[in-house]
Amino acid sequence: MTVILLRHGRSTANTSHMLAGRTPGVGLDEVGHVQAKNLLTRMEGLEVTEIVRSPLLRCRQTVEPLALDRGMTPTIDDRLVEVDYGQWTGRKLGELVREPLWKVVQQHASGAVFPDGEGLAEVQARAVAAIREHDRRLADTHGKDVVWIACSHGDVIKSILADALATHLDGFQRIVAEPASISVVRYTDTRPFVLRVNDTGGDLSGLAVADAPKSVPGGEVPGSGTDDTAADAGERHGSGGG
């Protein structure tokens, strides 16, 4: 199954350099609304089976144009919500960089717990569980590889990608997920394949490939056959258990 990890479009908090967290009412700015409308063009020619999103306003606004165009009703999953930054919520980033915890977040994320909030390890656990559960459900329902969208937030998406890349959470700050960016993971029976990271460009129709990439010497070639047909079958149409 193939999941498009979509970060919400640019928000009013992004431009004010504030850590919005779960602050109610933080929506997209003018650029963010344009980015949301541009999803129609970016997704043109790509069949999307389901849209799952964070409950926050900026994620709702991001997927709304595409959902209306496709006649879809997004599923809300609280496990894809933004990090609970606790006492850091609503503060300026320029202030937060002077906090001792800032270095921990940057260098030892797995040990970072926000005051009166949650830890980044907790964030990764809930987010990865959500993605893999939806992935298995769609695999069981459709019995083939389908493409679905999970719209969430920067740190949440980076934690999911770190898991898919088998990268320790302490290194997740090396991953970039800009507003309105798309990262793509194809889960199989054996492992996830990370197809794209922080894609802010155009056409995504190439994601509608029936076969997962094959791990072969020299690198993966999507859609190519191998002599090992058993391995070929094992890499195809898997659930999120990899």
Side-chain angles (χ1 to χ4, degrees), residues 23-70:
T23 303
V26 176
L28 302 183
D29 66 6
E30 290 183 9
V31 170
H33 282 292
V34 171
Q35 291 170 331
K37 291 177 182 177
N38 285 345
L39 284 174
L40 299 181
T41 302
R42 296 174 74 185
M43 299 286 179
E44 190 173 1
L46 183 65
E47 182 178 351
V48 175
T49 299
E50 188 164 337
I51 300 172
V52 183
R53 68 168 177 87
S54 156
L56 297 184
L57 174 62
R58 51 196 184 272
C59 287
R60 175 175 70 78
Q61 292 176 329
T62 298
V63 301
E64 206 163 44
L66 181 66
L68 289 172
D69 182 71
R70 302 287 181 99

Side-chain angles (χ1 to χ4, degrees), residues 18-23 83-93 95-96 99 101 113-118:
M18 179 189 79
L19 189 63
R22 300 179 183 179
T23 303
V83 179
D84 181 355
Y85 293 111
Q87 294 179 17
W88 279 28
T89 302
R91 294 180 62 187
K92 292 284 188 178
L93 296 177
E95 299 174 4
L96 294 174
E99 294 280 353
L101 181 60
V113 180
F114 295 97
D116 295 330
E118 64 182 331

